[in-house]
């Protein structure tokens, strides 16, 4: 599964910058590395499959994170 680096909007509204996909050192699970663009601008990781899944909102299926604008990757992952 490919994921573009760039700006994403969470289905609840906040925006995030995705840096790329990394591999968990123990399980080799693919994890998305991203940063909140609000508050303390914390860094986060989330399993790639969860980042890319759809959620149900008011009876509609929507992406958990929707790409706003693609950017050049900071690093290349798996």
């Amino acid at each position: 599964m490919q994921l573009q680096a760039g700006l994403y909007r969470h289905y609840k509204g906040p925006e995030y910058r995705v840096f790329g996909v990394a591999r968990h050192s123990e399980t080799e699970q693919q994890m998305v590395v991203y940063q909140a663009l609000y508050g303390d601008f914390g860094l986060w990781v989330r399993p790639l499959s969860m980042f890319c899944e759809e959620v149900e909102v008011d009876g509609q299926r929507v992406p958990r994170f929707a790409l706003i604008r693609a950017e050049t990757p900071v690093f290349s992952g798996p």
Side-chain angles (χ1 to χ4, degrees):
M1 181 181 303
Q2 289 283 65
L3 182 72
Q4 291 183 286
L7 297 179
Y8 283 77
R9 181 171 290 115
H10 189 267
Y11 75 96
K12 293 181 182 176
E15 293 183 3
Y16 296 86
R17 171 161 284 117
V18 168
F19 295 110
V21 177
R23 194 178 326 234
H24 188 286
S25 64
E26 298 294 320
T27 66
E28 296 193 13
Q29 181 181 19
Q30 291 185 318
M31 306 291 282
V32 178
V33 180
Y34 61 106
Q35 180 180 31
L37 297 179
Y38 62 92
D40 66 358
F41 291 82
L43 290 175
W44 297 87
V45 295
R46 180 185 295 252
L48 177 61
S49 59
M50 181 185 244
F51 190 94
C52 294
E53 72 185 358
E54 291 186 341
V55 295
E56 190 171 320
V57 178
D58 298 328
Q60 302 262 343
R61 301 290 297 169
V62 299
R64 183 181 297 276
F65 290 89
L67 180 64
I68 298 171
R69 182 179 73 236
E71 295 179 337
T72 303
V74 174
F75 65 91
S76 59

